[in-house]
Amino acid sequence: MVMSSLAERCSDPGEAYRPRHVLMCRPDYFAVSYEINPWMHAGVPVDRRVATRQWETIVRTYEALGHTVELVEPVLGLPDMVFAANSGLVVDGRVYAAKFRFAERQGEEAPYAQWFRDHGFDHVVRATEINEGEGDFAVVGDTVFAGYGFRTDIAAHDELRAQMHVPVVSLRLVDPRFYHLDTAMAVLRDDNVAYFPGAFDANSRDVLQQRFPHALIVEERDAEAFGCNAMSDGHHVIVSAQATGFIESLRSHGYDPVPIDTSELRKAGGSVKCCTLELRRQR
């Protein structure tokens, strides 16, 4: 019944809707066995079966809404590989691959880069600067908004400009709870975003206010529930079910929010968007 209703909602989503092509990774080896962000607590039990059900709900939701999901094979010993968004940035069929800050995640670089090469992405840039892909890079229209301060070095922004030939706007993150840009800002359409102001320094808040005067402002309690870690197709917004205030705000602004429980995945510091890398083929 749930998937049927989603398909019905997709039958006439409006002009802003655009079907997406995404890459994901099953949480077969998901665990919290180390601590590299404030949400991770190695002593807190993780139920992999629950995490898998939550992940599968995301996949089924995407497919019911008309999106295409591809999968990369998970690798034993890489519990965070489920967070595919961190593997790189794909724009016009070109890939800027991640170079992870923490040793615990560096093993993810090779299998993701190999997947890109094996699936027709001939232009794969292996970064020399520390970056964590779409964790800190958000494509809004033709511009990449790039976070730095915790997991991505600002030098990667210059490398991204040079290698991918895209305009890049830097945003500094200052609250360690929101260590990636995709925990603090969600792209809603090609011309608008939602964000939690407290995650950014004053200059970055000014940039966001100037660039997006009609942005949806996310309250702290909804940001803590990973509301900003959402995936939008321009109309439907797949979002953490616990971000109830943000869900109501989306609805009141004409979006169709699709709440999903991601509570188990959030134990590792991720939610819907973290699990999702958009594969932007050449236009």
Side-chain angles (χ1 to χ4, degrees), residues 241-254:
Q242 287 72 32
T244 54
F246 181 42
I247 289 168
E248 289 307 311
S249 178
L250 286 165
R251 190 172 288 117
S252 69
H253 284 82

Side-chain angles (χ1 to χ4, degrees), residues 86-88 96-103 105-106 109 125-137 146-160 179-180:
N86 304 154
S87 67
Y96 181 62
K99 182 178 174 63
F100 284 96
R101 177 170 302 281
F102 290 103
R105 298 201 65 183
Q106 290 168 3
E109 296 169 11
V125 176
R126 297 299 296 268
T128 62
E129 303 293 346
I130 298 294
N131 82 91
E132 300 199 355
E134 278 196 352
D136 275 318
F137 300 139
Y148 72 100
F150 295 106
R151 301 289 280 272
T152 292
D153 289 345
I154 195 169
H157 301 183
D158 290 330
E159 184 173 56
L160 180 62
Y179 59 95
H180 274 154

Side-chain angles (χ1 to χ4, degrees), residues 153-234:
D153 289 345
I154 195 169
H157 301 183
D158 290 330
E159 184 173 56
L160 180 62
R161 289 187 190 94
Q163 294 291 340
M164 301 288 281
H165 311 296
V166 292
V168 178
V169 175
S170 298
L171 301 170
R172 185 183 179 193
L173 298 165
V174 295
D175 187 328
R177 295 174 300 169
F178 307 103
Y179 59 95
H180 274 154
L181 182 63
D182 69 2
T183 67
M185 186 177 90
V187 180
L188 299 178
R189 291 179 179 162
D190 287 341
D191 61 355
N192 207 14
V193 303
Y195 66 95
F196 168 54
F200 301 92
D201 71 0
N203 288 337
S204 299
R205 290 197 298 271
D206 288 343
V207 168
L208 289 168
Q209 289 169 358
Q210 293 165 9
R211 293 276 186 146
F212 306 108
H214 303 296
L216 275 65
I217 301 303
V218 180
E219 298 295 332
E220 183 171 11
R221 63 181 178 275
D222 291 321
E224 290 178 328
F226 277 63
C228 294
N229 200 248
M231 185 71 179
S232 173
D233 59 26

